Amino acid sequence: MIKIWVISTLELKQKLFKQIEINDNDEVLEQICRILKLGSFRQENNPINIKLKASIDEGHEDYRQGRFVTNEVAKREFRKIGKRLK
């Protein structure tokens, strides 16, 4: 015997709201925010997140503009700097 549960959108929203209200787990709430595309609910409280996001955005833009070096080029440059520091 298969049981089929039919629930209205309103009932589903009410159950979801109730679970969100009683939930104290930051990780779960953060995931809910991401799923609903609300952003991070902790972002305003942590200026490091804002700085980190700005840095990541800058890195993405640099990459799109072709402002990057390969690992091989970076290794060569680090070796040159290391030899000069000795």
Side-chain angles (χ1 to χ4, degrees), residues 24-70:
D24 290 331
N25 185 325
D26 283 351
E27 290 179 21
V28 170
L29 295 172
E30 183 73 25
Q31 288 296 321
I32 292 169
C33 286
R34 283 192 197 121
I35 290 168
L36 297 175
K37 297 181 179 161
L38 299 175
S40 174
F41 74 97
R42 289 187 260 179
Q43 189 171 16
E44 300 82 29
N45 297 334
N46 191 347
I48 294 172
N49 286 343
I50 296 168
K51 289 179 182 179
L52 182 59
K53 184 180 180 329
S55 179
I56 291 169
D57 290 344
E58 181 181 344
H60 284 155
E61 184 59 28
D62 285 345
Y63 183 79
R64 280 192 287 275
Q65 297 293 325
R67 297 185 297 248
F68 61 90
V69 295
T70 64

Side-chain angles (χ1 to χ4, degrees), residues 4-8 11:
I4 298 176
W5 293 91
V6 178
I7 186 167
S8 72
E11 289 172 315

Side-chain angles (χ1 to χ4, degrees), residues 71-82:
N71 282 342
E72 201 54 47
V73 171
K75 287 178 188 177
R76 269 192 305 240
E77 293 299 316
F78 284 129
R79 284 188 203 113
K80 286 181 192 176
I81 292 169

